Amino acid sequence: MSILTDISEALQKGRAKQIKVLVPQALEEGIPAKQILEEGLLAGMSVVGEKFKNNEVFVPEVLVAARAMNVGAELLKPELAEAGVSAKGKVCIGTVKGDLHDIGKNLVRMMFEGKGLEVIDLGVDVAPEAFVQAAVEHGCQIIACSALLTTTMPAMAEVVKAAQAAGIRDKVKIMIGGAPVTQEFCDSIGADAYTPDAAAAAEKAVALLAG
Ligand code: B1M
């Protein structure tokens, strides 16, 4: 059995201690961080997601898997960052109001940091006004919103409206993403960019700042 399968299985069982041993071991074996993330950690989380959907596992099991996922992703962070990048701009990021999912948001934050962006992480369940207030306070050029639930996606439209109401809409770019989010939805709410994954989000942020 490969070490990537071991990582996937440890994640499915929520064994953070095992993840702490296996991820550095995989790096030592020369497996690229991206491959460890995708074929180890995310592969495991995808099995958990499927079982969650089918009522084969429940919130407590998913929570421990999520904790193990965050531990593993943190271990990969230095490897995912690009060497020698200098600060290129500021972003405030958060998961929208009513939504507690933070794994994808944390990955996007890591990829942003890897591209040399300064990131203000507002956490989860972030009110639209809080995104705007943080952008003003910290002088962010980008507001980045994550949502994992179809029921919380509309909060992204509220962020766009809050930025308009605060008179900063022409000064900030609003990026959105998360499993249920689409380009069509992005267009419909007047956000500036939708990207399907964390790596694409970081590329897009750099392009938006350059443009
Ligand atoms: Co939740 N959950 N959950 N959950 N959960 C989903 C999302 C669900 C699809 C499961 C299912 O039914 N199959 C389903 C949503 C259904 C829907 O709305 N369509 C669901 C549900 C229903 C719920 C609850 C309502 C369950 C309940 O209580 N009955 C509840 C809601 C709580 C709340 O938020 N208010 C709930 C709770 C939880 C836990 C707390 C137990 C836990 C979250 C723990 C945590 O995050 N710390 C949890 C988890 C872990 C999941 C699954 C299993 C995994 C999500 C995940 O982290 N994926 C998920 C099922 C699944 O996705 N298969 C599920 C890995 C992560 C890397 O992917 O976040 O999509 P993702 O990020 C991707 C991209 O989307 C993108 O980049 C990342 C990859 O590179 N991306 C961006 C994300 N944000 C971006 C922003 C960008 C750009 C790209 O630009 C700014």
Side-chain angles (χ1 to χ4, degrees), residues 43-194:
M45 188 46 95
S46 150
V47 175
V48 174
E50 209 42 43
K51 288 188 175 166
F52 189 35
K53 191 169 79 184
N54 298 329
N55 292 321
E56 290 168 44
V57 297
F58 301 95
V59 170
E61 289 100 313
V62 182
L63 265 180
V64 286
R67 227 168 279 149
M69 171 77 209
N70 279 330
V71 165
E74 276 298 323
L75 289 167
L76 292 175
K77 190 172 163 180
E79 310 297 322
L80 292 169
E82 282 177 14
V85 285
S86 54
K88 288 182 185 132
K90 260 191 201 177
V91 183
C92 58
I93 190 166
T95 303
V96 297
K97 194 170 169 58
D99 200 322
L100 304 175
H101 296 85
D102 69 354
I103 297 171
K105 184 265 297 169
N106 292 345
L107 283 179
V108 175
R109 184 194 71 213
M110 272 181 215
M111 295 292 181
F112 280 170
E113 288 170 344
K115 287 277 180 198
L117 303 175
E118 195 181 326
V119 184
I120 317 293
D121 190 342
L122 304 172
V124 297
D125 192 18
V126 180
E129 301 72 27
F131 277 105
V132 171
Q133 200 184 325
V136 172
E137 211 171 286
H138 298 279
C140 297
Q141 297 98 333
I142 296 177
I143 291 176
C145 308
S146 180
L148 262 286
L149 300 170
T150 43
T151 49
T152 57
M153 277 168 64
M156 292 174 154
E158 298 306 316
V159 176
V160 175
K161 284 185 197 151
Q164 268 157 0
I168 63 157
R169 187 65 190 94
D170 57 339
K171 296 185 190 74
V172 288
K173 298 289 182 194
I174 299 178
M175 295 182 65
I176 63 170
V181 182
T182 60
Q183 182 63 52
E184 201 184 3
F185 177 73
C186 176
D187 297 339
S188 76
I189 66 167
D192 297 295
Y194 156 74

Side-chain angles (χ1 to χ4, degrees), residues 9-20 22 64-65 68:
E9 290 190 351
L11 186 124
Q12 290 168 48
K13 292 176 189 144
R15 304 232 162 106
K17 275 192 191 153
Q18 233 173 313
I19 293 286
K20 266 189 197 161
L22 289 171
V64 286

